[in-house]
Amino acid sequence: MSIFAHIDGNVLVTPTQRMVNTKNGQQRITEFRVMSDVWKAGAAEGELVQDTEKSKPVGVTIWSERLGQVVFEQIRTG
């Protein structure tokens, strides 16, 4: 099962990697935080409107080691 999300915002903390214990042994995860804009339904059906007065910090944890490595090498704060 996968979860797909679109997060649009600024990276607050440079990604870090750490090892965690899972039932299948150890696995490397990548974590970082993003200050994400908040979107809400607009007047038209299917329309999204940005709520410029609200932003929320979002914690992101990547469990895919391959994707996590790319993010760790490419993403920085700002």
Side-chain angles (χ1 to χ4, degrees):
M1 182 175 136
S2 297
I3 298 173
F4 296 93
H6 176 97
I7 299 172
D8 184 15
N10 291 327
V11 176
L12 297 173
V13 178
T14 300
T16 60
Q17 290 186 321
R18 65 185 176 96
M19 299 299 286
V20 296
N21 293 321
T22 67
K23 65 180 179 180
N24 298 323
Q26 286 200 326
Q27 182 173 345
R28 177 179 297 136
I29 62 170
T30 302
E31 299 175 307
F32 62 101
R33 290 181 60 78
V34 175
M35 185 59 81
S36 180
D37 298 327
V38 174
W39 295 80
K40 60 185 177 182
E45 184 176 335
E47 177 185 29
L48 290 176
V49 178
Q50 184 176 4
D51 188 342
T52 56
E53 295 179 7
K54 295 182 182 176
S55 292
K56 295 192 183 248
V58 177
V60 179
T61 302
I62 301 173
W63 287 84
S64 166
E65 288 191 32
R66 195 165 132 197
L67 175 60
Q69 188 61 38
V70 171
V71 168
F72 182 73
E73 292 172 0
Q74 303 277 326
I75 303 293
R76 294 292 175 255
T77 58

